[in-house]
Amino acid sequence: MSLTGLLSIIRRYALAGMLAGLSSTAAGSVEGAALVPASSWAVLAIVALVGLALAAACGAWWGRRVGSRRAAHSPADKVKLANDSDGRDYLPCGVATDITECHAIQESNYRLTFYDPLTGLPNRRLMLDRLERVVKGSRRTDRYAALMFIDLDNFKLVNDTQGLSQGDHLLRHVADHLSRAVRESDTLARLGGDEFVLLIHDLAPDQEQAAHAAELVAEKLLARILEAQQDQEQALTLPITGSIGVTLFADGETSVESAMQQADMALQQAKGAGGNTLRFFNSAMQATVMARVQLEADLHLALARDEFRLHYQVQVDSLSRVTGVEALIRWEHPQRGMVSPGMFIPLAEKNRMILPIGYWVLETACRQLVVWAQEPERESLSIAVNVSSVQFHQPDFVVRVQQILKETAANPCRLTLEVTESLLMDDHQRVREIMLRLNQIGIRFALDDFGTGYSSLNYLKRLPLDELKIDQAFVNGVLDDPVDAAIVQATITLAASLGLDVTAEGVETEAQHQWLLANGCEAFQGYLFGRPQPVAELQVGQVSCTHGT
């Protein structure tokens, strides 16, 4: 039976029941002898009314459903399932979503991840990924690829003098000009700041040809950098040039890390040559760098391993009597042997290892002064200690020196600190204040290598100096070079006029000694009087002038 028929029966019986109930109620009330109580018929009537309401609601729902099915009978809306055996029709059902915004978000995230927001060039991450592919691909081909590091010379001046906005504007111009000079198949990326990198693949099968091709590209890039700033609306006061470091690789002979290191080494060579040029990486350069890296690693351990030694070179007066010594550091490496100070001191100053090393030298020298104070023949000796400009400019330098003197109980009047002329040129007012504070407790100051720097005579007048030391380069030429002789004579005269002592360094022959004596010099240091020696071998008193022979 269909739902329509069922609803019809419900309506019919509900209506009949209601009418019968009403009739019986009326008869019972008139005749007073009803078969069913009146209250029961009232309940039956209510049930009948509920049934009619339910039938009406079901009918309305069924009508809407049938209407929907009839509306779906059009060819455009009717869908028949291919494997349906009962021949019934079904309405399609689905959800439509606009994914345009989703695609836009994905594209934005991709560009933020792999591209530089300022220039629009690939960033370091994307460049490294492509470099890895080229490195791996070079194992399957015999053609060379090139990696170029590009750095702008003096770019910091643009930011400092014209602002960051102008600097960003220049970087965008440079990126645009560089992009025009490379192939679409190559990768030009920005590493950050003013550093760019170019990855070129498929250059040539021959190394010489590949180098020539890379050189042409690099020269074109240098020219484009100059063109970029010329297009600026605001002209730069200082021309900004570029430096480029290039490394070539093929046959899988390198790795991503090695290629990056080699290109950076070549770049540093280009910048060291004055900029606006290019340099190629070579194996000799790598060997030098690796040796320096190993030396630096050993240097960090040398102090903890107690590998440093102090040697002392005597200083004598006009009668060749020892008046003091200069403390000179030596590095006794377990495998390398004695390492020259010329090798490790510049490295220590660069990586700031000179700070702990310098304080070790100062403390060791002060402890030696305390020992000598107990020996009558050496109690009057002074010790000169070289102080690096890096060490001197530390905020706690004065405090550290005072602390060392207090801990060792050394006599500050027997200590001389030797400083270089370059120190006097940097914030000379602060330098003067530091020297005055230390001078007040008895420490003397000597200006080392006088004449090789750019000292102002006004500085010499205002600074609390006690001694000038004539550089060995001038002493060596006093007998043969009139200019060197004139410089030494002028230095001796200047020292006398300023009330300063003067010491000639690097005296190696008796002829030099006699010339210096004749021209008024009364203090000497050099191989003629003694080489630097361990304290156990140091001779004091009057020395024989035969050590240099």
Side-chain angles (χ1 to χ4, degrees):
M1 179 182 295
S2 66
L3 181 60
T4 303
L6 179 62
L7 291 174
S8 177
I9 292 174
I10 292 174
R11 291 191 190 99
R12 187 164 57 250
Y13 278 96
L15 182 60
M18 184 178 67
L19 292 175
L22 290 174
S23 299
S24 299
T25 301
S29 61
V30 173
E31 298 176 0
L35 297 176
V36 181
S39 59
S40 298
W41 287 110
V43 171
L44 182 61
I46 293 173
V47 171
L49 288 174
V50 171
L52 285 175
L54 179 61
C58 290
W61 172 79
W62 182 255
R64 288 194 299 272
R65 186 174 186 274
V66 171
S68 299
R69 293 187 64 186
R70 287 174 179 172
H73 279 194
S74 62
D77 299 327
K78 184 168 64 178
V79 176
K80 183 178 287 294
L81 296 178
N83 60 351
D84 190 12
S85 59
D86 60 4
R88 289 182 296 178
D89 297 332
Y90 294 87
L91 292 174
C93 180
V95 178
T97 303
D98 187 355
I99 62 173
T100 303
E101 183 177 356
C102 181
H103 278 305
I105 293 175
Q106 290 178 343
E107 176 66 22
S108 176
N109 290 339
Y110 178 81
R111 293 202 63 83
L112 288 174
T113 303
F114 294 106
Y115 287 85
D116 173 52
L118 178 64
T119 63
L121 296 176
N123 61 13
R124 183 186 187 91
R125 182 173 180 178
L126 181 56
M127 188 278 300
L128 288 175
D129 180 70
R130 294 183 180 178
L131 175 59
E132 184 175 7
R133 295 181 186 179
V134 172
V135 168
K136 291 180 179 178
S138 70
R139 298 170 185 168
R140 300 185 295 270
T141 179
D142 58 352
R143 302 184 69 85
Y144 278 86
L147 184 67
M148 298 184 183
F149 272 23
I150 308 161
D151 187 84
L152 303 185
D153 303 323
N154 302 316
F155 176 75
K156 185 176 182 298
L157 293 176
V158 179
N159 287 334
D160 292 344
T161 59
Q162 300 188 14
L164 297 177
S165 177
Q166 185 69 13
D168 290 346
H169 187 62
L170 175 61
L171 288 175
R172 285 191 291 267
H173 268 271
V174 169
D176 181 59
H177 280 69
L178 293 179
S179 299
R180 300 176 193 173
V182 302
R183 302 176 303 183
E184 292 185 2
S185 59
D186 300 327
T187 299
L188 176 67
R190 180 181 178 228
L191 296 184
D194 60 333
E195 298 178 348
F196 299 86
V197 62
L198 176 62
L199 175 61
I200 307 175
H201 63 90
D202 195 25
L203 276 174
D206 179 72
Q207 186 178 33
E208 185 175 349
Q209 293 177 353
H212 180 66
E215 182 179 11
L216 293 178
V217 173
E219 290 177 347
K220 186 185 299 184
L221 296 178
L222 292 176
R224 290 300 176 91
I225 292 174
L226 289 173
E227 292 175 4
Q229 60 180 318
Q230 293 172 358
D231 291 345
Q232 295 272 90
E233 296 178 0
Q234 183 178 357
L236 300 177
T237 55
L238 179 65
I240 302 300
T241 56
S243 296
I244 299 180
V246 186
T247 184
L248 302 174
F249 56 91
D251 301 325
E253 62 186 14
T254 188
S255 63
V256 172
E257 294 77 12
S258 296
M260 294 286 287
Q261 291 174 356
Q262 292 170 5
D264 185 59
M265 286 184 224
L267 174 63
Q268 299 310 315
Q269 290 288 322
K271 296 186 76 68
N276 195 28
T277 188
L278 65 100
R279 288 290 185 272
F280 280 87
F281 171 82
N282 57 65
S283 56
M285 181 191 306
Q286 184 177 26
T288 301
V289 171
M290 294 308 296
R292 180 188 60 79
V293 170
Q294 185 59 52
L295 184 67
E296 183 173 0
D298 291 345
L299 185 61
H300 278 279
L301 301 174
L303 199 58
R305 293 176 176 176
D306 193 27
E307 295 174 357
F308 290 120
R309 305 286 183 266
L310 272 193
H311 286 194
Y312 299 92
Q313 187 174 32
V314 297
Q315 299 170 332
V316 301
D317 60 13
S318 58
L319 300 177
S320 297
R321 293 175 301 191
V322 176
T323 58
V325 297
E326 180 179 356
L328 300 169
I329 189 171
R330 295 293 184 264
W331 181 8
E332 190 175 349
H333 194 279
Q335 286 80 39
R336 302 172 186 265
M338 283 295 185
V339 182
S340 169
M343 291 182 61
F344 71 86
I345 291 298
L347 184 60
E349 290 183 334
K350 184 177 180 180
N351 62 21
R352 302 182 70 82
M353 276 295 295
I354 195 66
L355 295 178
I357 292 174
Y359 289 125
W360 176 87
V361 171
L362 183 60
E363 181 179 350
T364 303
C366 286
R367 294 191 184 282
Q368 190 60 59
L369 282 175
V370 174
V371 173
W372 286 348
Q374 309 304 317
E375 303 175 8
E377 70 276 11
R378 300 188 181 188
E379 63 179 350
S380 62
L381 295 180
S382 63
I383 297 181
V385 175
N386 291 279
V387 177
S388 166
S389 60
V390 177
Q391 183 181 1
F392 193 91
H393 283 295
Q394 293 303 301
D396 63 343
F397 176 67
V398 174
V399 175
R400 291 292 298 270
V401 173
Q402 292 173 335
Q403 182 180 0
I404 290 173
L405 289 171
K406 181 179 180 181
E407 291 177 352
T408 60
N411 182 358
C413 297
R414 299 296 180 190
L415 179 64
T416 300
L417 299 183
E418 295 191 3
V419 296
T420 60
E421 292 182 275
S422 60
L423 174 67
L424 308 183
M425 301 298 295
D426 187 11
D427 195 2
H428 60 275
Q429 182 59 38
R430 180 175 178 275
V431 170
R432 181 175 184 272
E433 293 174 358
I434 293 174
M435 294 176 68
L436 284 172
R437 290 176 62 185
L438 294 176
N439 191 253
Q440 288 173 355
I441 62 176
I443 295 177
R444 302 176 76 252
F445 282 93
L447 186 57
D448 198 15
D449 302 332
F450 182 76
T452 60
Y454 307 95
S455 288
S456 165
L457 296 181
N458 185 49
Y459 294 166
L460 296 181
K461 181 184 69 174
R462 299 180 64 246
L463 293 175
L465 290 169
D466 300 282
E467 179 184 353
L468 297 182
K469 301 190 74 174
I470 305 174
D471 187 72
Q472 178 179 355
F474 301 121
V475 173
N476 286 341
V478 292
L479 300 178
D480 306 314
D481 190 332
V483 175
D484 286 344
I487 291 175
V488 173
Q489 286 176 327
T491 301
I492 295 172
T493 302
L494 175 64
S497 64
L498 295 176
L500 304 176
D501 296 332
V502 60
T503 300
E505 293 184 296
V507 181
E508 298 182 352
T509 67
E510 183 59 30
Q512 294 171 347
H513 180 212
Q514 293 300 322
W515 187 97
L516 291 165
L517 279 172
N519 284 274
C521 186
E522 296 183 350
F524 312 91
Q525 179 180 339
Y527 286 176
L528 178 64
F529 311 99
R531 295 176 178 271
Q533 296 175 333
V535 66
E537 301 177 15
L538 187 64
Q539 297 181 4
V540 296
Q542 187 169 7
V543 298
S544 172
C545 300
T546 58
H547 295 80
T549 59

